[in-house]
Amino acid sequence: MTITEHGSQGADSSSDQGDGSGRRGMKAPVSRRALLGFLVAAPTLMAVAGRADAAIIPSPPEPSDLQDLGDLQVYFAKPTSNLIQIVVNKDGTVSFALPRCEVGQGITTAIGMLIAEELDLPLSKVHVTLADARIELADNQLTGGSNSMRSMYDPVRTAAAIAKLQLMTTAAKQMGVPMSTLTAKDGVITAPHGGTRTYGSLAEAAAVTKTRAVQPKLKDAKDFAIVGTSQNRVDAHDIVTGKKVFTMDLDVPGALPTMICRPPTINGTVKAVNNKAAVLAMPGITHVAAIPTGVAVRGRTFGQCIDAVRALNVTWGPGTEDGKTEAAILAELKAAELPFASVPLGETIDRTFTFSFASNSPLETGSAVADVKAGSAEIWSTLKVPIVAQQEIANALGLLPTQVKVHVITGGGSFGRHLFHDAAMEAALASQAFGAPVRLMWHRTDDFRAGRTHPMATSRIQATIAGGSVVQLQQRHTSVSTDFSHSFGDQLTAFAAQKFPGPTQLGFSQTIFNYTANVPYNFGVTEQALNEVDMGFHTGSMRNIYSPDVCTALELVVDELAVKLGQDPYAFRRAYLKDDRSRAVLDAVAKKGSWGRAMAPGTAQGIAFHSEYKGVCACLVEIDCRPATVNRKVRDAVTGPRVTKAIFAVDVGLPVNPRGLEAQMMGGIMDGIAHTLTCSLHLKGGYFAEGSWDNYFYTRQWNVPTELEVIVMPTTTGKPGGAGEFGVAASKAAVSCAYARATKTMPLLFPINHNDPLAFDVLPTTPPIPPSPTDGLTSY
């Protein structure tokens, strides 16, 4: 039996009282209607959630505290929510194929908690897997924008509630008692006379042969027993014991290791493979073939593939950024900076900040398994937008999308990286060229030099003070173009193109910016705008899109405004924040972190605030910037600057799993520290110099705060907001503000140690390269 949630035909219940986000005068962008469901024919009980009628199209872009990116994603996901299915099995367990991608954020646990809650089942009896690409789901199979819980919350709960309703109805008929007299606990339904039925025993009897509408009743939040409680991840034991299956763990018959020899500059091309026969004669090598992104080699082991890649002699064609340096890109950005809209009338602060290229750098590099045959293909990979991957791979192979089966595999990190399907596409093309299945893996140098990067950007802010108060703030963010070709869905892309005339790519970027950027303070007339240039790089989202850079620039200027007006940075923020919910998180970190305590010279506190995704957060850090001996070849020997304390308060509405939310914020804090202080990419003549984690200085053990606490605030909205990316912006801004106070110098270039000459020896960019027994996968 299948159950579908649908919007009723009743009147729109939205009002001017807000949407529970804590911001007054807000209207929801779509109508809120009572939920219905459908019982659908199936061998055992099956539940589906969806909607019955179209919702209102969002209005033209407004400030993101009125309507944000997540609202649009929820809106566009609703039409296919009726295709999401919960299945009750004969053994009493429940199965759900989640149309999202698990990349370490803990979503399979949180979704399992929603199902267990509504069905009154132990979490251990709910099995959440990842759904294959389902083209019929359209915009409802995308993992991004910190939106999975927001999009899934109502549909999943509704489907589970309908499943329970049908089980209770069937049990009542079998035991001859009114359904209202039955109770359910741990998958067992009990009647007043003591009779029982298990969910498993009812699974077949509860199934229906004809689809019909059902009106479910969802649990009231006050009755939650699982949702809102801290739970360990359901896959934690498998992860720490090595049992968790990732792409490279799959046992696909005949799929041999495959790697790519890549061009020396960004988007270079293959003109000729000069020693193919010699490489094919190397031990273990079975195939060599040129594909659009380089030369693919297939061998018995990855070590043999590495040797073959090192030995290849290739004539390369030019790339899109040949000869380009950071200075050249910065000049492009400066030339593209939009002017401010008006002439300030008062004392002004005018600051420009520069943010370097950076890498997503997930623990798991790009990987995919592909088996392409005549008339069909099968792909296994970590994919956040599997439908787009399916369509584009099918087109590249000359197949129909229905001839390409795409399996979504749990990923070892992403941070936005797996919105793109580069590895899956390469695996498919290599398999087709070889006529054999492949197990393709990128090495770390591939990831840094040919992978996705967070684009270089400048952010200029002009703030005006008059009459002892801030009366205007304008921000102009100028960025190397962010690639959104993975698509948030055709409908959203079309919406962007309609509302922002011009090229769709630019219009879409502007839409994303307008639905994420905000000024959370009462600074009179506020305005933020984006301009993008240079689409020749492999760019993408990196655990948030524009917000960490935009927020950091803004919060540094907020500190400067406080100084100009003779106010304490915390008190100044508190006075200018727009609502009590925002002030609550700021107060929480200030109190817990003992804001204003005496600090030694060269050390300082920093505090910052950020709002996004229907949530608010604040961060307080302490930093030690006292001089230290720097070993330029071994950066881990550096002892400063280092963050010694971090306190983070977060309110994302209903925290489905507070423990998972805490872990997300901890990860965001580590990102914030890294991107303020240490990690970036250096563009050198058309390629990035970094080639391994020895060169890319993400937060290390020595600069992890010894004091770190995440405060999960009590829910104020009743529904979950976004969390996956939410921890980065405020922590990056707080570290930046602390550094400025400790050194009495406002940082204008990020990360702060983005220095030249480089602190490492640059790995080679082109083979043939003599093999080295010591550097493993860190270089070609």
Side-chain angles (χ1 to χ4, degrees):
M1 181 192 72
T2 301
I3 300 171
T4 305
E5 171 263 307
H6 278 276
S8 75
Q9 302 301 314
D12 189 340
S13 61
S14 63
S15 72
D16 289 335
Q17 300 305 310
D19 67 348
S21 70
R23 300 186 184 279
R24 294 179 293 275
M26 295 168 59
K27 283 189 177 183
V30 295
S31 60
R32 298 174 178 176
R33 304 173 185 272
L35 300 176
L36 288 175
F38 286 90
L39 299 173
V40 182
T44 64
L45 178 59
M46 185 180 294
V48 178
R51 64 184 299 279
D53 58 319
I56 299 171
I57 298 295
S59 300
E62 299 173 7
S64 63
D65 60 352
L66 297 177
Q67 183 169 285
D68 69 4
L69 177 62
D71 294 324
L72 294 182
Q73 290 179 264
V74 171
Y75 174 74
F76 287 120
K78 276 188 175 291
T80 57
S81 291
N82 62 305
L83 301 176
I84 296 173
Q85 302 171 343
I86 290 175
V87 178
V88 179
N89 304 307
K90 290 189 290 184
D91 64 358
T93 62
V94 171
S95 300
F96 177 57
L98 175 64
R100 297 295 188 274
C101 186
E102 173 70 74
V103 288
Q105 76 275 47
I107 187 175
T108 49
T109 301
I111 291 293
M113 291 172 68
L114 297 180
I115 296 170
E117 184 69 73
E118 292 295 339
L119 274 164
D120 289 300
L121 268 176
L123 181 57
S124 61
K125 288 193 174 183
V126 180
H127 303 311
V128 179
T129 57
L130 305 183
D132 291 345
R134 297 176 58 190
I135 196 167
E136 70 275 13
L137 288 178
D139 298 317
N140 205 2
Q141 194 171 14
L142 181 148
T143 310
S146 296
N147 187 254
S148 293
M149 295 309 300
R150 287 176 68 179
S151 290
M152 294 280 101
Y153 183 72
D154 284 335
V156 167
R157 289 182 63 213
T158 300
I162 297 168
K164 181 185 174 185
L165 176 63
Q166 181 63 5
L167 289 166
M168 298 284 280
T169 301
T170 304
K173 290 179 181 178
Q174 288 187 358
M175 291 189 281
V177 298
M179 188 181 69
S180 60
T181 65
L182 299 177
T183 59
K185 183 179 180 180
D186 295 338
V188 178
I189 299 172
T190 303
H193 54 62
T196 62
R197 294 289 188 277
T198 65
Y199 286 179
S201 69
L202 296 168
E204 289 185 335
V208 299
T209 58
K210 184 178 180 181
T211 299
R212 68 177 187 273
V214 180
Q215 179 75 60
K217 185 180 186 304
L218 303 184
K219 268 191 180 182
D220 192 283
K222 65 180 176 57
D223 298 322
F224 285 166
I226 298 176
V227 171
T229 66
S230 289
Q231 301 287 330
N232 291 330
R233 283 183 52 157
V234 295
D235 55 355
H237 187 266
D238 284 352
I239 291 172
V240 299
T241 58
K243 295 179 181 178
K244 186 74 175 178
V245 175
F246 298 96
T247 303
M248 287 294 96
D249 299 316
L250 297 172
D251 185 15
V252 176
L256 292 184
T258 300
M259 299 187 81
I260 309 294
C261 178
R262 301 185 184 278
T265 58
I266 295 167
N267 290 320
T269 57
V270 179
K271 298 186 76 172
V273 181
N274 303 317
N275 63 339
K276 180 176 180 179
V279 172
L280 278 170
M282 294 177 66
I285 300 304
T286 64
H287 296 83
V288 176
I291 62 174
T293 53
V295 180
V297 296
R298 180 175 181 266
R300 298 293 174 186
T301 69
F302 279 111
Q304 291 169 338
C305 290
I306 292 171
D307 289 342
V309 166
R310 293 174 184 273
L312 277 165
N313 187 314
V314 182
T315 300
W316 300 103
T320 57
E321 301 294 335
D322 287 4
K324 292 287 185 68
T325 63
E326 290 172 63
I329 301 303
L330 182 57
E332 286 185 42
L333 293 171
K334 292 289 188 182
E337 289 176 347
L338 299 173
F340 290 124
S342 60
V343 177
L345 300 176
E347 183 181 2
T348 65
I349 293 172
D350 195 325
R351 295 286 180 263
T352 301
F353 304 89
T354 300
F355 300 91
S356 304
F357 288 103
S359 171
N360 298 70
S361 194
L363 183 62
E364 180 188 32
T365 58
S367 57
V369 178
D371 186 5
V372 179
K373 298 181 173 66
S376 70
E378 195 164 6
I379 312 293
W380 296 260
S381 190
T382 300
L383 299 165
K384 286 189 164 189
V385 199
I387 296 171
V388 173
Q390 182 184 44
Q391 293 169 333
E392 294 188 357
I393 290 171
N395 184 61
L397 297 176
L399 299 173
L400 297 173
T402 53
Q403 295 175 299
V404 178
K405 191 167 188 178
V406 172
H407 306 285
V408 179
I409 308 300
T410 297
S414 175
F415 316 112
R417 177 65 184 88
H418 293 298
L419 286 165
F420 294 91
H421 50 272
D422 318 55
M425 176 66 80
E426 288 180 336
L429 292 171
S431 179
Q432 185 181 56
F434 297 156
V438 303
R439 182 189 305 275
L440 181 139
M441 181 176 71
W442 290 31
H443 53 59
R444 188 59 60 186
T445 311
D446 292 339
D447 198 50
F448 284 124
R449 291 181 173 167
R452 297 287 164 175
T453 68
H454 179 64
M456 188 176 182
T458 66
S459 207
R460 185 184 175 201
I461 295 183
Q462 185 183 85
T464 304
I465 298 171
S469 183
V470 183
V471 297
Q472 185 180 55
L473 187 140
Q474 300 178 81
Q475 185 168 16
R476 297 292 180 265
H477 195 72
T478 312
S479 173
V480 168
S481 180
T482 301
D483 187 350
F484 289 110
S485 60
H486 55 73
S487 175
F488 273 86
D490 292 339
Q491 293 184 71
L492 185 53
T493 305
F495 175 83
Q498 178 185 3
K499 300 305 177 184
F500 295 91
T504 301
Q505 177 75 22
L506 179 60
F508 191 35
S509 297
Q510 295 284 355
T511 303
I512 295 295
F513 184 84
N514 280 279
Y515 280 125
T516 55
N518 68 81
V519 178
Y521 303 100
N522 288 312
F523 284 164
V525 177
T526 61
E527 182 189 15
Q528 294 169 300
L530 169 74
N531 194 27
E532 292 194 325
V533 298
D534 199 331
M535 297 178 65
F537 290 91
H538 295 138
T539 60
S541 307
M542 188 183 68
R543 202 170 196 186
N544 225 255
I545 309 169
Y546 306 104
S547 297
D549 294 350
V550 169
C551 176
T552 296
L554 174 63
E555 289 293 295
L556 281 165
V557 170
V558 169
D559 262 14
E560 190 170 3
L561 287 167
V563 171
K564 285 278 188 183
L565 291 170
Q567 298 185 37
D568 171 82
Y570 157 59
F572 179 79
R573 285 174 171 82
R574 197 179 193 286
Y576 279 87
L577 281 170
K578 294 179 180 177
D579 55 62
D580 291 339
R581 185 185 180 203
S582 300
R583 283 185 281 272
V585 292
L586 191 73
D587 291 344
V589 296
K591 180 179 180 181
K592 188 68 177 180
S594 301
W595 173 262
R597 75 181 187 89
M599 300 284 290
T603 70
Q605 294 179 315
I607 195 167
F609 173 85
H610 180 59
S611 62
E612 194 172 7
Y613 301 129
K614 292 292 187 288
V616 293
C617 63
C619 184
L620 179 150
V621 303
E622 292 185 359
I623 197 169
D624 186 345
C625 295
R626 289 173 289 190
T629 301
V630 178
N631 182 336
R632 292 181 60 78
K633 295 297 183 183
V634 185
R635 186 61 62 89
D636 283 5
V638 180
T639 57
R642 63 171 302 206
V643 177
T644 57
K645 177 190 284 188
I647 309 295
F648 198 98
V650 58
D651 178 352
V652 292
L654 174 66
V656 174
N657 183 2
R659 184 167 296 155
L661 177 60
E662 181 181 3
Q664 289 277 44
M665 298 306 106
M666 286 182 177
I669 291 167
M670 297 307 113
D671 283 347
I673 293 170
H675 295 298
T676 301
L677 299 177
T678 56
C679 70
S680 58
L681 297 172
H682 293 76
L683 183 65
K684 297 287 184 181
Y687 71 94
F688 291 112
E690 281 68 17
S692 77
W693 267 335
D694 290 342
N695 309 154
Y696 190 74
F697 307 111
Y698 189 76
T699 304
R700 303 291 214 268
Q701 186 69 42
W702 64 264
N703 61 349
V704 169
T706 54
E707 295 182 58
L708 192 156
E709 182 173 348
V710 175
I711 303 167
V712 177
M713 304 291 284
T715 179
T716 56
T717 68
K719 284 193 175 185
E725 304 163 279
F726 197 39
V728 183
S731 55
K732 181 174 181 177
V735 175
S736 303
C737 291
Y739 179 90
R741 298 183 78 213
T743 63
K744 297 180 172 51
T745 302
M746 178 180 285
L748 299 176
L749 171 64
F750 293 90
I752 288 163
N753 81 331
H754 186 75
N755 58 325
D756 209 348
L758 301 175
F760 56 87
D761 295 324
V762 179
L763 296 172
T765 59
T766 57
I769 299 168
S772 169
T774 60
D775 60 359
L777 297 181
T778 62
S779 66
Y780 280 107

